[in-house]
Amino acid sequence: MTESADRVVVVTGGSRGIGRAICAALSAPGTTVYFNYNSNVEAARATAEGIESAGGKALYHQVNVASETAVVDYLGAILKEAGRIDVLVNNAGITRDGLLVRMKEADWDAVMDVNLKGTFHCMKVAAKTMMKQRYGRIINISSVVGVSGNPGQANYVASKAGIIGLTKAVARELASRNITVNAVAPGYIDTDMTGDLNDKAKAAMIGQIPMGRIGTPEDIAGVVAFLASAGADYITGQVIHVSGGMYM
Ligand code: NAP
């Protein structure tokens, strides 16, 4: 079985930033895009408009991916309604930055729970149905810092490095069922997550990017759309860096 004409796509953290651009990039006539958000319903509404204007069907719900019960209920309801999940994009993510010696356990736990455990919860449920379908495309959003490291982000970096290991382990488990599992590692992308940086920090960051510019959410979304397309049918277990050359 290959790509379905009526695709069912699930994107976590679709209300803003990279997730919103991914929702738009995966939208097409015949595609239903389910996406969730944590608290920002207004932003979710705007994402839904983008999906609908690209010809897709948009359905959004408040779901905290850190909660196993919430994820099981959410994906269970999607399966009841749509009958299948073709593409899962684990994009929801948060930061709670601080130096290791000052990092609170709560900040460690919050980041690991959303970024890494949330990805695990969603993959676990989606994989069961993808195995029955003998088709599935899972794309996990990691980060360049999950490979390079970054001071002040021990929790975030550990979660993003964990996503890479998780991606590779599950890619090996599911490959024989025609399910691919890949990670995308964005560099420095212009979203709310990076919006707090002052001009000096931004300039310093751009100085580390060989292409000399900050990335856009659409730069990431295009690669996610490719990994979800038939053109990427033979790619699994890979980490695709989309960072203007920040990491080579
Ligand atoms: P963002 O603008 O802060 O958006 C984060 C998204 O995740 C929002 O839709 C948010 O929902 C959702 N979210 C947060 N916590 C959640 C939870 N517990 N359950 C469900 N959804 C939750 O972030 P972004 O920059 O687009 O980042 C998207 C992904 O790319 C993240 O995994 C991030 O780590 C990764 N990334 C970003 C960059 C970058 O430079 N921006 C670089 C590398 C990797 P609400 O709107 O409801 O809060």
Side-chain angles (χ1 to χ4, degrees):
M1 185 172 193
T2 56
E3 218 177 301
S4 162
D6 297 316
R7 295 183 110 192
V8 179
V9 170
V10 177
V11 179
T12 70
S15 46
R16 290 182 287 129
I18 293 170
R20 176 182 287 174
I22 291 170
C23 287
L26 292 175
S27 301
T31 301
T32 304
V33 181
Y34 287 89
F35 69 94
N36 73 300
Y37 62 97
N38 189 40
S39 59
N40 211 329
V41 69
E42 286 305 319
R45 243 173 239 139
T47 298
E49 281 167 21
I51 293 168
E52 308 262 342
S53 66
K57 182 176 167 193
L59 291 155
Y60 56 96
H61 303 88
Q62 191 286 325
V63 180
N64 175 7
V65 293
S67 159
E68 182 175 28
T69 319
V71 168
V72 168
D73 289 352
Y74 174 53
L75 296 182
I78 290 175
L79 284 170
K80 210 166 164 195
E81 190 173 86
R84 55 187 296 120
I85 296 175
D86 297 293
V87 180
L88 168 68
V89 184
N90 287 299
N91 164 80
I94 59 166
T95 52
R96 294 280 185 279
D97 295 351
L99 294 171
L100 173 73
V101 291
R102 285 195 225 126
M103 189 170 284
K104 294 190 177 75
E105 186 182 6
D107 289 335
W108 172 271
D109 286 345
V111 169
M112 295 302 277
D113 284 356
V114 175
N115 298 7
L116 185 55
K117 208 158 76 171
T119 300
F120 160 70
H121 290 324
C122 295
M123 284 173 87
K124 188 174 164 184
V125 180
K128 283 183 192 149
T129 196
M130 287 175 173
M131 285 164 81
K132 286 191 208 125
Q133 293 166 189
R134 295 209 160 248
Y135 178 86
R137 298 288 173 261
I138 299 175
I139 299 131
N140 298 326
I141 306 301
S142 177
S143 169
V144 66
V145 301
V147 178
S148 67
N150 202 29
Q153 290 198 305
N155 48 0
Y156 182 78
V157 169
S159 74
K160 293 298 179 178
I163 283 175
I164 291 174
L166 177 62
T167 298
K168 292 184 181 184
V170 179
R172 287 189 184 275
E173 285 184 23
L174 301 181
S176 66
R177 313 291 179 103
N178 191 28
I179 301 165
T180 65
V181 189
N182 291 290
V184 172
Y188 176 32
I189 310 301
D190 188 14
T191 69
D192 293 343
M193 187 176 270
T194 50
D196 285 349
L197 290 180
N198 61 37
D199 286 349
K200 201 175 155 204
K202 273 189 186 166
M205 193 68 97
I206 293 168
Q208 294 174 37
I209 305 171
M211 290 187 76
R213 70 165 175 89
I214 301 177
T216 64
E218 289 71 26
D219 287 326
I220 307 305
V223 176
V224 171
F226 167 67
L227 288 171
S229 76
D233 275 354
Y234 200 52
I235 301 175
T236 196
Q238 303 305 305
V239 182
I240 314 292
H241 285 263
V242 188
S243 62
M246 250 175 117
Y247 178 83
M248 292 187 189

